[in-house]
Amino acid sequence: LGIPIGDNPRKERMWNPIKEKLTKKLLGWKHRHLSLAGRVCLLNSVVTTLPLYFMSIYKMPKKVFTRIKPIQRNFLWECCNWGSLATVLPANTVQHFSQIPLKSPSKEVTKNWRVIWCATIWNTWQTRNNYVFREKAFQPQQLIKDIHVTAWNWLSLDKKFNYNFVQWSINPGECLM
């Protein structure tokens, strides 16, 4: 049934076939676009059962467990890792706005910060979708430029915002005050 008999179960080398099977199973799913829930389901139904069969006969050494756990964890959170950036977004959209400075001089400044934050979220998701679904390269400098342009476009819709794009490009912080 695939369990090595006669080998020492306390040695890490005996558990190498399990690590290889895990890695092979996950590689088959690597380029599929599974949601986080789909990844959890796959891990629970397929990947977690592989070591369980061995563990029904032998006790898994802690060293092996510490090597298998990251394989599963990396597969699970890969959907949130793109462009060498790993992040978990807040579950509640209101928490996004906690990124805004707490004490701002006026409601207008707070509103402008919110517009910039929304432009940041919008462009980050656009870039992420291009990276994940259209296989476009992640270019951090382009993302920053896109945020810059989108924020100015959105802010300039307000008649009280009296700055042209050149002024905004030179010193956006001054345009906010």
Side-chain angles (χ1 to χ4, degrees):
L1 294 172
I3 293 184
I5 305 293
D7 205 357
N8 186 349
R10 291 177 296 210
K11 297 286 183 184
E12 190 176 351
R13 72 173 181 269
M14 190 191 111
W15 295 85
N16 282 340
I18 291 293
K19 289 191 287 187
E20 290 167 10
K21 281 182 184 180
L22 276 173
T23 306
K24 268 187 188 174
K25 287 262 189 209
L26 295 178
L27 277 176
W29 289 92
K30 196 165 190 93
H31 296 291
R32 304 203 192 274
H33 301 294
L34 293 173
S35 66
L36 186 60
R39 289 171 184 269
V40 169
C41 188
L42 182 68
L43 283 172
N44 286 338
S45 63
V46 178
V47 180
T48 308
T49 59
L50 286 172
L52 282 179
Y53 179 63
F54 262 51
M55 289 168 41
S56 68
I57 298 169
Y58 301 120
K59 182 179 178 186
M60 181 186 283
K62 284 185 181 180
K63 193 173 190 178
V64 173
F65 177 76
T66 57
R67 296 225 196 301
I68 288 176
K69 192 90 169 156
I71 295 170
Q72 294 173 330
R73 187 180 316 116
N74 290 341
F75 176 77
L76 177 65
W77 291 108
E78 185 180 60
C79 62
C80 298
N81 182 5
W82 55 279
S84 302
L85 301 173
T87 185
V88 177
L89 296 174
N92 182 337
T93 54
V94 175
Q95 291 173 338
H96 283 281
F97 295 105
S98 66
Q99 308 296 323
I100 299 166
L102 291 176
K103 296 190 183 214
S104 57
S106 68
K107 287 183 180 182
E108 189 67 27
V109 172
T110 301
K111 180 190 70 93
N112 290 345
W113 272 106
R114 287 183 176 163
V115 169
I116 291 170
W117 187 245
C118 288
T120 302
I121 297 299
W122 171 261
N123 282 288
T124 302
W125 275 103
Q126 292 285 79
T127 302
R128 177 216 174 259
N129 288 342
N130 286 334
Y131 177 84
V132 172
F133 299 115
R134 294 180 188 96
E135 298 179 2
K136 292 185 178 179
F138 174 67
Q139 300 170 339
Q141 295 299 22
Q142 184 61 45
L143 173 60
I144 292 168
K145 287 178 186 176
D146 291 345
I147 292 168
H148 201 81
V149 170
T150 303
W152 181 79
N153 282 332
W154 291 355
L155 286 168
S156 64
L157 292 173
D158 184 358
K159 297 199 185 312
K160 295 177 189 171
F161 190 79
N162 297 319
Y163 298 96
N164 62 37
F165 187 72
V166 174
Q167 293 169 309
W168 174 251
S169 297
I170 294 170
N171 192 351
E174 189 175 305
C175 298
L176 292 176
M177 300 301 170

